Amino acid sequence: MAKTKTLTFLFILFTIFSISTLTTTATKNHGFARVLSPHKLGLKRQKLSHLHFYFHDIVTGKNATAVRVAEAPVTKTSPTAFGAVNVIDDPLTIKPELSSQRVGSAQGIYAAASQTEVGLLMDLNFVFTTGKFNGSTLSLIGRNSVFSNIREFPIVGGSGIFRFARGYAQAHTYSLTPTGDAVVEYNVYVFHY
């Protein structure tokens, strides 16, 4: 009986010591990370913004805004251009006409990533150059099933006003020429501070 009480006491003591050690380790500052209050970074109440603009992807002519920088050996024979990689600096405008007010650029990369349909991997930043979002960016990454009516992409971050941003973007092809130049309507819904 005394041996059982001793073992029980030692077990309880060990459990208390273990929990105490785990708690201390979990809250200890390891020198490279710490918990902060959002208010210390000047972050106030979160808001939801809706942005609406047009994306001009120009692949032809002397003023092309999307250029192919790489392709796979199968790209030229693939019905989906599989393996093609383009770098873009596409204008963003308020209206579908390229001559309308410019609000920024879409800068990044898209690659033909599907062998069965025209499906792109989109990795780009919306870089805003006017108004209250001037100097801020939104980062988008996702799959673009080009011939679907509405495509949806996650917004995975941003900078400036859009620091800590998250949300989604919906794209709809407004126009597409036989040579591949496209105007795409974007509706972006983003939470930010």
Side-chain angles (χ1 to χ4, degrees), residues 5-180:
K5 283 185 177 181
T6 302
L7 287 174
T8 302
F9 175 74
L10 288 174
F11 177 75
I12 291 171
L13 189 61
F14 175 76
T15 303
I16 291 170
F17 175 76
S18 296
I19 290 171
S20 172
T21 302
L22 287 173
T23 304
T24 302
T25 304
T27 59
K28 185 177 178 184
N29 181 348
H30 293 282
F32 70 93
R34 62 189 169 136
V35 176
L36 292 176
S37 163
H39 297 290
K40 284 192 176 193
L41 293 177
L43 301 176
K44 299 194 173 37
R45 195 169 153 283
Q46 195 172 197
K47 54 189 150 274
L48 174 64
S49 292
H50 172 225
L51 291 78
H52 178 257
F53 50 81
Y54 292 85
F55 169 110
H56 299 267
D57 194 50
I58 305 165
V59 297
T60 60
K62 65 180 182 173
N63 295 319
T65 61
V67 294
R68 184 167 295 177
V69 295
E71 61 183 41
V74 300
T75 300
K76 286 190 181 2
T77 59
S78 168
T80 65
F82 179 68
V85 178
N86 287 34
V87 173
I88 66 168
D89 187 6
D90 289 347
L92 303 176
T93 61
I94 289 182
K95 295 182 179 176
E97 297 78 26
L98 184 57
S99 60
S100 69
Q101 181 185 345
R102 189 167 175 165
V103 295
S105 298
Q107 298 174 339
I109 296 172
Y110 60 78
S114 175
Q115 295 183 58
T116 58
E117 67 173 310
V118 181
L120 305 176
L121 165 65
M122 306 280 288
D123 182 6
L124 56 92
N125 292 305
F126 293 130
V127 180
F128 298 101
T129 56
T130 60
K132 70 179 180 177
F133 301 133
N134 184 22
S136 298
T137 67
L138 286 171
S139 298
L140 173 150
I141 189 166
R143 183 174 192 280
N144 184 350
S145 182
V146 175
F147 295 118
S148 294
N149 185 36
I150 303 289
R151 287 91 68 196
E152 188 170 295
F153 313 100
I155 298 295
V156 296
S159 66
I161 288 176
F162 295 121
R163 192 176 295 145
F164 293 108
R166 68 189 190 290
Y168 69 96
Q170 290 183 325
H172 166 73
T173 302
Y174 180 83
S175 66
L176 178 64
T177 68
T179 58

